[in-house]
Amino acid sequence: MSPKPGKSRVRVVPAAGAVLYRMDGDSPLCAVVHRPRYDDWSLPKGKVDAGEALPVTAVREIEEETGFAAELRSRIGTTAYPLKENTRKEVTYWSALATGGDFHPNSEVDEIRWVPVDEAKCLVSYPLDRKILTRFDDAPRARSVLLLVRHAKAGRRSEWSGNDDLRPLEKNGRVQAEMLAPMLRAFGVTRLHSAPRVRCEQTLAPLADELGASISTEPALSDEAYLDDPVAAVSRLTRIAGAEGIAAVSSQGTAIPGMVRDLAGPAGLDVGDASTKKAGVWVLGFDGGTVVHADYYPSPLPLF
């Protein structure tokens, strides 16, 4: 849609950041950074580089500004503010668990403080950061995380003459699979599981190669198996989520929405019909067998 006469199109500058935290007993300590250029205290964030999806940007910016590696957890929300005339910056924030590293003063950040959430709210310089910290504080904390990935593009079933279990990814699907790898790494994925379909396994293959990991076959998580016994499928998915480490599970376009609805409904989470695009990802946070957050990412492809 063209802008109305007399109005200029607003250019959006996408960015990503996080409430970076580490646990002090049962309570989180949040990282607040001081930027000497602006003499302010804020949450780590930065603009998207070419070729990046937003979750990848968030993890990169965290490490560049703080020196800490991190694993994303739940998506907190997006803030927006004007930069200059006809330009607006939109920052998407995640909660992010610090997994290691050390801070060294740099050109962007000369000091970092790890403080309780209430102290962080007082320390940050901007109301929008306080809003994000409040959302972080109010959100339930997941004890385990699982990423549910629909297989990438594999052409039309009607155009494949062989056994459909063996239908492979097409060219665009292979590109999607390559782009999924850094996105899944941003959430700390170390374990890989797949429904017994070639296209599902190929969707996780680039990450498997990077991790040097095998892909476990999950017969209970195909479309047919889910339709035959949805309770068994959801039970298996929950057991995978509860094991040590972050898991990614590749499945299909009927099983994934069904399992997401089955898990989210009893928890009171609104996921709509949970329809999932090819190479789309659901990030599910669990507290025991209960899902406490369900975030959907329709595409792993970069913004530009």
Side-chain angles (χ1 to χ4, degrees):
M1 181 181 294
S2 300
K4 294 181 179 179
K7 289 190 176 182
S8 300
R9 187 185 301 274
V10 175
R11 184 173 74 91
V12 174
V13 177
V19 177
L20 178 66
Y21 71 96
R22 61 189 184 192
M23 298 305 295
D24 181 23
D26 293 331
S27 301
L29 297 178
C30 302
V32 183
V33 300
H34 182 260
R35 302 184 298 176
R37 178 181 178 185
Y38 305 102
D39 191 23
D40 64 5
W41 290 92
S42 66
L43 302 174
K45 63 181 181 296
K47 291 185 288 187
V48 173
D49 283 349
E52 283 184 334
L54 280 171
V56 178
T57 300
V59 170
R60 175 182 56 76
E61 285 290 339
I62 289 169
E63 187 159 15
E64 288 180 359
E65 292 193 2
T66 71
F68 283 84
E71 297 174 355
L72 301 185
R73 292 296 187 256
S74 63
R75 186 171 51 207
I76 299 174
T78 300
T79 64
Y81 53 91
L83 292 177
K84 55 185 178 181
E85 187 177 0
N86 299 326
T87 304
R88 182 177 73 246
K89 190 172 187 177
E90 292 186 355
V91 188
T92 302
Y93 287 92
W94 282 262
S95 60
L97 177 66
T99 57
D102 290 294
F103 172 69
H104 299 282
N106 55 74
S107 60
E108 292 188 71
V109 175
D110 62 355
E111 186 179 351
I112 181 173
R113 294 184 186 176
W114 293 93
V115 294
V117 180
D118 286 343
E119 188 174 337
K121 292 178 190 177
C122 295
L123 182 58
V124 293
S125 302
Y126 305 107
L128 288 176
D129 283 356
R130 280 191 284 278
K131 180 180 178 181
I132 291 297
L133 284 162
T134 297
R135 289 185 180 179
F136 168 81
D137 198 23
D138 291 343
R141 213 82 64 220
R143 296 180 182 272
S144 60
V145 177
L146 178 141
L147 283 75
L148 195 49
V149 184
R150 186 177 179 187
H151 66 76
K153 292 182 178 180
R156 296 180 181 275
R157 182 173 184 173
S158 60
E159 297 174 357
W160 174 255
S161 60
N163 182 341
D164 192 59
D165 293 359
L166 304 179
R167 178 157 49 98
L169 298 183
E170 63 181 23
K171 181 179 179 180
N172 288 340
R174 293 194 295 273
V175 172
Q176 289 178 319
E178 292 289 344
M179 296 308 301
L180 269 168
M183 181 172 168
L184 299 181
R185 284 203 314 272
F187 291 89
V189 168
T190 58
R191 297 185 292 121
L192 304 174
H193 300 255
S194 173
R197 303 291 181 268
V198 165
R199 54 194 178 275
C200 294
E201 295 168 355
Q202 289 180 336
T203 297
L204 296 180
L207 181 56
D209 290 343
E210 291 183 18
L211 296 176
S214 60
I215 301 173
S216 299
T217 302
E218 299 292 342
L221 301 182
S222 68
D223 276 354
E224 292 82 0
Y226 171 78
L227 291 171
D228 183 59
D229 194 341
V231 173
V234 170
S235 176
R236 177 58 188 151
L237 196 70
T238 303
R239 289 199 303 274
I240 293 171
E244 185 175 354
I246 309 298
V249 177
S250 181
S251 186
Q252 299 171 267
T254 297
I256 289 176
M259 290 188 289
V260 171
R261 292 193 303 268
D262 293 345
L263 287 162
L269 300 177
D270 182 9
V271 294
D273 66 2
S275 60
T276 307
K277 293 184 176 181
K278 302 285 178 64
V281 178
W282 284 93
V283 177
L284 305 177
F286 288 79
D287 185 359
T290 301
V291 170
V292 295
H293 69 76
D295 299 329
Y296 175 55
Y297 300 85
S299 173
L301 298 180
L303 296 182
F304 56 90

